Amino acid sequence: MISVQGLSKRYRLGQIGAATLRETVEHWLAGRRRAPHPTAHAASAPGRNEIWALRDVSFEVQQGEVLGIIGRNGAGKSTLLKILSRITEPTAGRAILRGRVASLLEVGTGFHPDLTGRENMYLNGAILGMKKAEIDRKFDEIVEFAEIGRFIDTPVKRYSSGMYVRLAFAVAAHLEPEIMLVDEVLAVGDLAFQRKCIGKMETVAKGGRTVLFVSHNMAAIKGLCSRAILLEGGRLVHDGTAAETVAAYVASVQKLTAEQPLATRTDREGGEILRFTGVVFRDAKSRAPLNILVSGQDVVADVTYDCRSAVPLNNVVVAIALNAADGAFLSACRSDAIGKEFRLAPGTGCLRCRIPRFPFSQGRFSYNLIAYQQGVILDWIKEAGFVDVAAGDFYGTGKIPAPASQCVFIDFDWEML
């Protein structure tokens, strides 16, 4: 069981690593005397140099329950799991966890890079309070699940990110914790491994253990979780069934995209030297802006950006990922998939993505924007916007397919042999 009561976490900008040793000691002594720090008046000014990652969050999770935690980037999801994992202390409130906790908050959490996979398995088991005999009993099962048998005696610093996350998840899931905390790390693995992990978490939950699952994959949240909570700006704004909470999240994102320009969105990763500033969908022939797209219509998406680098950025990959309205991934238009990378000069510019015969059926779809350079994210906005699609004659037969027949159209043919 987990009980979270009035949990709050405040960070002070520039606090970590910004002070001298003397200032750090003075701050610690001031705290011990419960006296104000000599420079505390500046840091404690209302709203100045402070960020509340969590603010008065309360909820309970019963044994065997699978709770989804959703929200935009910066909503406080990861901070909540770090507090529950005892990685960081709350500023106010408390969290009570009854049972052994296994955390998978980021790739390789708790792994020592110089130790082998085998050694890290025993180290993690010891941290969880497992006896060597218990780890021995689970060893083969963990290695088989992680699919790293050939590399089990290789130092994990030589693992790829996929190998890292497979082993980390396998250890966390198989060493029989009463409570399992899982952040968005499953996005690192391939689709087959993600399905494998979700299946394992379902098994864990059916065994009476508790799972807290943070994800941007709304389909996974609805499929795995019986209940979900929604965080916005560090506050809990919705607590209900997974379907109800996902609907509340989608409504919140739609409101945000309608009210806040893309250039000023703060729920993004990267965005320091390259920032997306807008997207306009247009008819491919007339170039007229489109409020509603039609299935089978030739469209282009004009993506504007601001490059703040002092020198040109070479080998930039850009992508538009198209999702169902609830965030379930459907397809992606990645420039590197068709052999294209870009050289972006300093200043503003526009990139155009052509989508012949728009392949989605009627409904509302969301899209993500991402740009990266040699694997490093330059800018990434999830749910950057929404597009509404009307039914159209995709197959050119004069007939419009039934609305519920499919979500994405593909070219196909039938013949009698």
Side-chain angles (χ1 to χ4, degrees):
M1 176 181 172
I2 300 173
S3 178
V4 174
Q5 304 168 6
L7 213 58
S8 297
K9 179 63 179 180
R10 178 185 62 193
Y11 291 104
R12 286 185 176 146
L13 299 179
Q15 183 182 42
I16 299 174
T20 64
L21 176 60
R22 177 174 178 172
E23 289 171 339
T24 301
V25 172
E26 287 176 348
H27 183 84
W28 179 80
L29 290 174
R32 295 281 291 178
R33 295 193 301 265
R34 297 189 180 278
H37 182 261
T39 59
H41 63 280
S44 62
R48 187 177 179 183
N49 299 328
E50 292 182 353
I51 292 178
W52 286 92
L54 290 176
R55 202 69 183 262
D56 195 26
V57 172
S58 299
F59 62 90
E60 290 191 352
V61 188
Q62 301 302 317
Q63 180 180 346
E65 188 174 9
V66 183
L67 178 73
I69 303 174
I70 61 177
R72 297 190 297 273
N73 289 343
K77 307 183 299 295
S78 295
T79 298
L80 174 60
L81 290 197
K82 286 178 180 178
I83 292 175
L84 297 180
S85 302
R86 303 291 191 261
I87 293 174
T88 187
E89 291 292 322
T91 304
R94 64 176 183 167
I96 303 170
L97 291 83
R98 296 186 175 93
R100 188 161 51 197
V101 179
S103 302
L104 192 56
L105 306 188
E106 56 186 50
V107 177
T109 298
F111 278 14
H112 192 293
D114 292 323
L115 298 181
T116 66
R118 182 189 302 271
E119 291 166 338
N120 272 296
M121 284 173 59
Y122 282 94
L123 175 62
N124 269 254
I127 291 172
L128 287 173
M130 305 289 292
K131 295 180 180 179
K132 183 177 181 298
E134 294 179 89
I135 304 172
D136 288 341
R137 180 166 50 87
K138 291 281 186 177
F139 185 87
D140 292 340
E141 189 177 347
I142 293 172
V143 173
E144 182 181 356
F145 187 95
E147 302 171 4
I148 58 162
R150 293 174 52 199
F151 306 98
I152 192 63
D153 291 310
T154 299
V156 297
K157 66 183 178 184
R158 298 196 178 100
Y159 284 12
S160 67
S161 59
M163 293 165 63
Y164 229 128
V165 76
R166 290 202 302 270
L167 181 59
F169 182 88
V171 170
H174 286 80
L175 293 184
E176 301 182 353
E178 283 81 21
I179 298 172
M180 189 172 171
L181 310 177
V182 184
D183 207 340
E184 192 72 77
V185 293
L186 299 188
V188 178
D190 58 28
L191 184 59
F193 180 70
Q194 290 178 34
R195 290 173 178 166
K196 194 174 182 180
C197 291
I198 290 174
K200 182 61 181 177
M201 284 192 285
E202 289 175 340
T203 302
V204 166
K206 289 176 182 177
R209 285 173 278 172
T210 305
V211 179
L212 268 64
F213 181 44
V214 169
S215 180
H216 281 94
N217 186 331
M218 297 300 112
I221 290 288
K222 290 195 292 186
L224 180 65
C225 305
S226 56
R227 175 175 152 233
I229 61 174
L230 172 61
L231 298 178
E232 284 187 5
R235 296 184 182 274
L236 195 159
V237 297
H238 194 277
D239 184 343
T241 67
E244 292 170 347
T245 306
V246 167
Y249 171 71
V250 171
S252 171
V253 171
Q254 291 178 351
K255 181 180 179 182
L256 174 69
T257 57
E259 295 179 351
Q260 187 171 357
L262 201 62
T264 60
R265 288 272 294 270
T266 57
D267 57 328
R268 66 206 306 155
E269 293 184 36
E272 299 301 323
I273 62 173
L274 181 70
R275 177 170 288 232
F276 293 117
T277 56
V279 179
V280 177
F281 286 88
R282 302 178 184 276
D283 179 84
K285 295 179 181 178
S286 69
R287 296 292 189 266
L290 299 171
N291 293 322
I292 298 177
L293 282 60
V294 178
S295 299
Q297 179 181 22
D298 293 338
V299 302
V300 296
D302 288 345
V303 181
T304 53
Y305 64 86
D306 181 11
C307 180
R308 304 174 179 183
S309 173
V311 296
L313 298 176
N314 295 314
N315 305 117
V316 175
V317 174
V318 292
I320 298 179
L322 296 161
N323 316 307
D326 65 1
F329 174 76
L330 297 175
S331 186
C333 304
R334 290 177 37 162
S335 66
D336 59 338
I338 55 173
K340 290 189 176 180
E341 297 179 349
F342 297 96
R343 184 177 188 269
L344 305 184
T348 60
C350 182
L351 295 164
R352 172 167 288 169
C353 178
R354 299 178 183 274
I355 309 177
R357 298 178 67 205
F358 194 77
F360 288 12
S361 63
Q362 69 182 53
R364 170 162 281 200
F365 301 86
S366 70
Y367 58 87
N368 305 341
L369 291 175
I370 186 170
Y372 55 92
Q373 182 186 46
Q374 297 178 341
V376 177
I377 294 173
L378 299 174
D379 197 15
W380 185 10
I381 309 177
K382 298 174 181 176
E383 286 92 25
F386 289 82
V387 292
D388 291 306
V389 182
D393 182 12
F394 179 86
Y395 295 107
T397 61
K399 298 179 180 180
I400 295 178
S405 63
Q406 52 191 305
C407 180
V408 178
F409 296 114
I410 58 174
D411 280 320
F412 65 92
D413 192 15
W414 285 91
E415 61 180 359
M416 182 176 289
L417 301 179

